[in-house]
Amino acid sequence: NAMVVEIHNKAHESGKYTKVLRRDWALKEVDTDMAYCIVNHKEFFAEISVSYLADFYHDVDGAGTTDMAKCSPPFVAPSIVDRIRQKAMDDQPRQHNNECRQTIPNGKYRVIPRIDNMVLPHCNKFFPFTKGQLRRYDPRVYKCFVRLWQYIECWEDDKRSNCGRCGSFDWC
């Protein structure tokens, strides 16, 4: 899609995605990286779509762009949760009790303990993590993705002959 190629090039040139937070690197010495969306226009579409479709964690929408503890949705990956818990115990060694193992002192990082068969809303690994953050961080890209996803919703499939909104396969 020519629109994806064009907006990828503009996003790359803007420098906004050169150094962003990376959720799976939380509490490591370096928690920023080049956003994977910059690799090429195909990854751009895939990665930004993940953010665009992550319309759940609204409490982090306006929480900034540089502090992982403030702007990240809750962590669920066991390796990251373990890293956060270990850091909390290292910072407060006298609180090695069940309460410390279940929660993070001072609530700096939010975690959700693993519960079997629990399905949680997704978010992106790279900032912007959510739709609201994308809307604030890069309004131009956000507006293009609104149009792209409206267009995608109109694609023909075996069960639908045209778009329910506009009745055609042109841009809605």
Side-chain angles (χ1 to χ4, degrees), residues 4-148:
V4 174
V5 172
E6 181 181 342
I7 196 66
H8 166 260
N9 291 337
K10 288 181 180 180
H12 192 281
E13 291 167 5
S14 76
K16 287 184 175 189
Y17 299 90
T18 305
K19 185 177 179 183
V20 297
L21 291 173
R22 182 174 170 160
R23 284 174 41 86
D24 61 334
W25 288 2
L27 283 175
K28 288 190 172 187
E29 195 171 314
V30 175
D31 63 0
T32 58
D33 193 9
M34 177 191 78
Y36 196 64
C37 70
I38 294 303
V39 170
N40 62 44
H41 69 281
K42 295 174 186 177
E43 293 300 342
F44 182 78
F45 175 75
E47 287 290 312
I48 297 299
S49 290
V50 171
S51 296
Y52 179 79
L53 297 171
D55 193 14
F56 183 76
Y57 302 102
H58 302 290
D59 57 318
V60 298
D61 286 353
T65 64
T66 59
D67 186 342
M68 184 79 75
K70 291 180 182 175
C71 69
S72 178
F75 292 96
V76 295
S79 62
I80 299 170
V81 171
D82 290 347
R83 190 180 317 134
I84 292 169
R85 287 199 174 118
Q86 185 61 50
K87 173 79 170 138
M89 288 191 285
D90 291 348
D91 289 350
Q92 298 187 9
R94 293 184 184 158
Q95 293 187 10
H96 288 275
N97 56 33
N98 285 338
E99 180 181 330
C100 184
R101 288 184 196 98
Q102 296 302 316
T103 62
I104 304 303
N106 301 323
K108 183 174 180 182
Y109 290 89
R110 298 178 304 156
V111 299
I112 297 177
R114 185 179 175 101
I115 299 172
D116 289 338
N117 299 322
M118 183 173 164
V119 177
L120 296 170
H122 72 281
C123 67
N124 204 335
K125 182 190 317 187
F126 296 92
F127 190 87
F129 306 121
T130 68
K131 184 177 201 167
Q133 289 174 337
L134 176 62
R135 181 176 26 245
R136 284 178 163 81
Y137 185 68
D138 201 338
R140 180 190 305 184
V141 168
Y142 174 80
K143 288 175 186 173
C144 287
F145 271 73
V146 168
R147 290 186 67 204
L148 279 168

